[in-house]
Amino acid sequence: MKKRSSNLRLTLMAVAMPIGLAACESEPTGVVLNSIDDCRSQQVDVAQCETAYRDAVAKHAQVAPRYEDAMQCESDFGSCQPVREEGRTYYSPPMGGFLLGYALAGGFSNTGARQVAGGAPLYRDYRGGGYRNAGGDAVSRQTGPVTGKRGSIATPARAITVSRAGFGSRAAARGTFGSRGS
């Protein structure tokens, strides 16, 4: 009898675990915004939104994708700006929005509002219209809440240099992801 109850317990745990994980993944982990003006429509505290926007702008200067060829950059983003760095000229897309990330594990204020963890720059894909992060990963096709890893505000330590056409298709990081750049 003891063996049967152990098997039943393990079976119930195996069934309950995916249900619990699915519930976690349906909770928003972030929200895609075009500008600070979108904060009210997405029911985000404006003061926290402004801070997240400033974080995203500061990160944009450090991590925006860099293209060696203006036409390659413009084929992905429509318009790009020249950036002089270390004696070379690269082309970089403008920040097309930002991702406001939520604090995880009970990150709520006294009023029950979600606590904001920070902001990350997003870039509009000229061809598809969606939002991409600095690493080239698709975040969302529209503004609003995102779930799971798409809501992560983690950014590479340094900009990615794209050496061939297609954002993210042949990218080489100047530095390593997640490291603390010098």
Side-chain angles (χ1 to χ4, degrees):
M1 196 55 124
K2 189 172 193 170
K3 189 173 186 175
R4 185 179 286 174
S5 64
S6 294
N7 287 341
L8 179 62
R9 222 177 296 138
L10 288 174
T11 303
L12 289 173
M13 284 174 50
V15 170
M17 214 147 129
I19 293 169
L21 290 174
C24 290
E25 286 187 18
S26 66
E27 284 292 312
T29 53
V31 62
V32 172
L33 303 164
N34 280 321
S35 67
I36 295 173
D37 294 336
D38 286 349
C39 296
R40 284 187 184 86
S41 67
Q42 294 296 327
Q43 299 173 341
V44 177
D45 178 71
V46 176
Q48 289 185 344
C49 190
E50 288 172 348
T51 300
Y53 176 77
R54 284 192 300 273
D55 288 350
V57 169
K59 289 176 186 174
H60 166 69
Q62 298 170 340
V63 302
R66 308 274 198 263
Y67 286 76
E68 294 175 345
D69 180 19
M71 289 181 59
Q72 288 177 347
C73 185
E74 290 178 8
S75 73
D76 284 345
F77 298 104
S79 66
C80 294
Q81 303 294 319
V83 176
R84 300 246 342 129
E85 186 177 272
E86 298 174 5
R88 295 182 65 177
T89 300
Y90 296 98
Y91 299 89
S92 186
M95 191 172 98
F98 68 107
L99 176 64
L100 182 143
Y102 292 127
L104 299 177
F108 292 92
S109 70
N110 295 341
T111 63
R114 289 188 179 278
Q115 289 293 97
V116 172
L122 295 177
Y123 306 93
R124 295 298 303 261
D125 183 339
Y126 181 67
R127 296 163 299 182
Y131 293 89
R132 296 191 172 272
N133 64 20
D137 300 318
V139 174
S140 181
R141 294 187 92 18
Q142 59 200 18
T143 59
V146 291
T147 58
K149 289 177 18 179
R150 293 181 304 153
S152 171
I153 58 169
T155 56
R158 296 186 181 193
I160 291 176
T161 301
V162 181
S163 58
R164 292 196 181 152
F167 184 50
S169 64
R170 283 294 250 180
R174 295 188 330 230
T176 56
F177 286 90
S179 70
R180 305 222 180 236
S182 53

